[in-house]
Amino acid sequence: MSRLDAPLTYSQVREGREPAEVLSEHDRKVLMVNLVRGGLTDWEISSLTRWTLYTVARIRDGLNLPPNHPNHAAA
């Protein structure tokens, strides 16, 4: 994807210090691509971004990204 609209704000969202709603639509899409490609599940993305699970799935689906599933390691 192309250059970020607000790199500092994007970093604050990635660190969990700001909700993803402060990002531009473009930066939200970049964030979603990076989080999904980084292996985060919808639950993890929801927790980090402060989006609902519905919003996470809607944005992810709109970008044609598959959901990641939690790894259940044997204890």
Side-chain angles (χ1 to χ4, degrees), residues 1-11 13-14 20-35 37 49 51 58-60 62-63 65:
M1 297 201 119
S2 61
R3 176 172 272 142
L4 292 170
D5 294 333
L8 179 60
T9 304
Y10 179 90
S11 294
V13 171
R14 281 292 305 248
E21 291 305 312
V22 300
L23 296 173
S24 67
E25 182 178 349
H26 168 76
D27 288 359
R28 288 179 200 165
K29 290 177 181 178
V30 172
L31 178 67
M32 180 62 76
V33 168
N34 289 331
L35 294 177
R37 288 184 180 165
T49 62
W51 286 330
R58 181 179 50 80
I59 295 170
R60 182 183 39 71
L63 295 168
L65 296 168

Side-chain angles (χ1 to χ4, degrees), residues 39 41 68-74:
T41 65
N68 292 314
H69 299 286
N71 292 329
H72 296 288

